[in-house]
Amino acid sequence: MKTLIATLTFSALFLTGCATPKQWEATGGSKNDGVVQVSYELGQFESGQTSAEQGLTVAAQRCKTWGYKNAEVTGSEKNICRTMGQYNCLQTTITQDYLCKR
């Protein structure tokens, strides 16, 4: 009985994935439109932990490089499956858009 409980506990932990710290990186956007996209990648069993503040900092730095003063978040995060397995997504890209401010 103890073996069964231990096995079920381990299985539950394995299936829920692990909380992995992730860093936002500038991955796209448009200088003319004043839009910066920041993203991070998640593997199949990962549950990413990110900092909204770190994402804003990355976007603001890109905006300042383009001649803007700052950035603000716009819209919601987009999840895009990059690699589909037989039954589920194996690799996901999470992207957030930021609007550069003058």
Side-chain angles (χ1 to χ4, degrees), residues 30-89:
S30 167
K31 179 179 178 178
N32 291 337
D33 294 333
V35 175
V36 175
Q37 294 176 324
V38 297
S39 306
Y40 66 93
E41 301 284 328
L42 285 180
Q44 180 178 6
F45 296 111
E46 289 182 314
S47 173
Q49 289 182 329
T50 61
S51 163
E53 184 177 317
Q54 189 260 332
L56 179 60
T57 299
V58 169
Q61 288 173 343
R62 176 65 58 96
C63 287
K64 288 175 183 176
T65 300
W66 288 346
Y68 294 90
K69 287 186 178 179
N70 215 337
E72 64 183 18
V73 69
T74 180
S76 58
E77 291 180 6
K78 295 181 274 296
N79 299 337
I80 300 169
C81 180
R82 296 291 179 197
T83 307
M84 189 66 192
Q86 186 173 359
Y87 300 109
N88 56 0
C89 187

